[in-house]
Amino acid sequence: MRVFLFHFLALGLLTVTAACSQPAQPSSPLIAEPSAAPSPTAPVFQNPILRENFADPFILQVGDTFYAYATNSASKNISLARSTDLLKWQILPDAMPALPRWAKLTGGLVWAPEVIQIGEQFVMYYTARDKQSDKQCVGAAVSDKPEGKFKDASLAPLVCQAELGGTIDASPFRNEDGKLYLYYKNDGNCCNLVTYIYVQELAPDGLSLLGEPIALLRNDALWEGRVVEAPTMFKREGRYYLFFSANNYAGHEYAVGYATCESPLGPCQDAPENPILKSDLTDHEAMVIGPGHQALLQIDGQTWIFYHAWEVVANSRRGERRLMWLDRLDWVGGKPVVRGPTTDFQPVPQLP
């Protein structure tokens, strides 16, 4: 999740973002008619679905349009793209061009935005550098449109666990009873501290927190390494599943797991089969390095998982960009099974 200066790579088959002074151009994965792949009956696509530097992706559906938000890149605080089919994406302007008074203007430290609609407003939770503590902390910004411009008028962060290394990766969840919750993690791995994923109830407007934070998970499994992060709560058939990413974001160790929870406030139990999405280094022609920071979307009965993975460049080296990927997530015996990471052609999402 740490963000450093990204170098633009001039690769022949990759889409290059247009200059800021030019209209944003759609960016899409390789999409083919049935004759281009084994599937004889339906159009297909191939990962990645967005060949731009688009780390920590989050997907919001508003009507028949999808908005993808991501960590800062290309001089934007919040990267943003729009699509009507989840495959062809139009890059849009910065969703939050101005930071709040509490945040440092240092480039590269605005991370992991997620957005929820509350009434007529859209609320974005994001990470930025707090001036007072000099730690990464979570803020909340609002807009009357999903594309922004989002604005945070607060004088202090929404969540800032400075004594625990800071706070990052905030993710909202609306339960079926209408209550709102915010999941986040302390940034302890910045400072040789244990990392936890917490939950706290949100006020009805989503702009303040209620009660005390509850620790749900910690990095206590071998595959998790020094960090658990990127929480995503998902409810299916009355059961709560807390997805998360873990380990070194910059390497092949980064992966996705999940825990089952008794309620939005826990308690939660790690799944023994973790991780359920991890790097694939077996094929040097189609390597997948560091898949993670997932987002889930339910479409017409099918669950889909979005995530980023590192670009692979010449000689099977890890590149400097994290591209957006999409795969099916099926449910087998009440357990999530990711059909990926895929590098082959697969059927396109069937939208209602």
Side-chain angles (χ1 to χ4, degrees):
M1 168 108 20
R2 298 295 171 274
V3 181
F4 43 84
L5 291 178
F6 288 94
H7 304 286
F8 288 99
L9 303 178
L11 298 179
L13 296 180
L14 296 181
T15 302
V16 178
T17 307
C20 295
S21 60
Q22 297 176 342
Q25 299 297 317
S27 178
S28 63
L30 182 57
I31 305 174
E33 291 304 317
S35 59
S39 172
T41 59
V44 292
F45 76 96
Q46 188 176 30
N47 276 313
I49 60 167
L50 182 54
R51 295 176 180 268
E52 303 284 345
N53 191 23
F54 213 78
D56 311 326
F58 175 77
I59 309 297
L60 176 72
Q61 182 175 3
V62 182
D64 58 0
T65 302
F66 302 92
Y67 296 87
Y69 306 84
T71 280
N72 67 279
S73 179
S75 300
K76 300 174 184 176
N77 291 320
I78 303 295
S79 297
L80 176 64
R82 180 173 58 202
S83 176
T84 56
D85 64 2
L86 297 174
L87 300 176
K88 296 183 292 292
W89 293 91
Q90 180 187 16
I91 303 299
L92 299 179
D94 194 336
M96 190 176 66
L99 295 179
R101 291 175 60 184
W102 61 262
K104 285 188 173 182
L105 301 183
T106 308
L109 293 174
V110 184
W111 302 345
E114 297 202 10
V115 178
I116 187 171
Q117 184 171 2
I118 302 176
E120 298 299 316
Q121 283 192 323
F122 296 87
V123 180
M124 172 188 289
Y125 303 95
Y126 66 97
T127 302
R129 195 73 165 186
D130 176 45
K131 291 178 181 177
Q132 182 174 348
S133 66
D134 198 29
K135 301 293 185 184
Q136 293 293 93
C137 299
V138 166
V142 297
S143 171
D144 58 1
K145 298 183 294 184
E147 60 268 32
K149 301 176 179 179
F150 285 85
K151 182 178 181 179
D152 183 352
S154 303
L155 300 180
L158 178 66
V159 191
C160 191
Q161 300 162 297
E163 71 284 0
L164 299 178
T167 307
I168 69 172
D169 292 359
S171 179
F173 171 73
R174 179 184 283 111
N175 200 19
E176 58 189 10
D177 61 4
K179 285 187 177 181
L180 299 172
Y181 300 88
L182 191 69
Y183 298 82
Y184 51 86
K185 59 134 326 191
N186 71 295
D187 201 24
N189 49 296
C190 81
C191 319
N192 295 315
L193 299 173
V194 174
T195 60
Y196 291 87
I197 289 176
Y198 293 87
V199 63
Q200 201 165 353
E201 187 176 348
L202 280 163
D205 65 0
L207 298 179
S208 61
L209 293 162
L210 306 176
E212 296 297 322
I214 299 172
L216 299 177
L217 301 174
R218 60 166 289 178
N219 60 312
D220 54 4
L222 182 62
W223 77 273
E224 295 167 346
R226 297 177 59 246
V227 57
V228 289
E229 59 187 20
T232 303
M233 179 59 82
F234 190 82
K235 188 175 184 182
R236 181 181 182 273
E237 296 183 351
R239 301 182 67 186
Y240 296 91
Y241 299 83
L242 181 57
F243 293 81
F244 61 95
S245 297
N247 217 310
N248 174 24
Y249 87 102
H252 69 272
E253 303 91 348
Y254 203 54
V256 174
Y258 78 98
T260 54
C261 303
E262 293 184 14
S263 78
L265 297 174
C268 300
Q269 181 66 45
D270 282 359
E273 65 269 23
N274 284 339
I276 60 171
L277 176 65
K278 59 185 180 180
S279 297
D280 184 353
L281 309 179
T282 57
D283 185 352
H284 284 196
E285 299 299 320
M287 293 176 62
V288 183
I289 301 175
H293 205 113
Q294 72 296 320
L296 273 64
L297 192 65
Q298 188 77 9
I299 303 175
D300 199 25
Q302 174 67 53
T303 307
W304 292 87
I305 183 169
F306 299 79
Y307 56 94
H308 71 234
W310 289 97
E311 183 177 37
V312 178
V313 297
N315 300 320
S316 300
R317 293 180 296 111
R318 200 212 76 182
E320 301 298 322
R321 306 191 303 174
R322 285 171 285 179
L323 313 181
M324 187 165 69
W325 290 50
L326 173 64
D327 278 308
R328 282 173 168 77
L329 187 150
D330 292 333
W331 299 89
V332 181
K335 297 181 178 182
V337 177
V338 179
R339 306 302 187 184
T342 63
T343 55
D344 295 330
F345 284 97
Q346 59 176 311
V348 302
Q350 298 300 303
L351 303 180

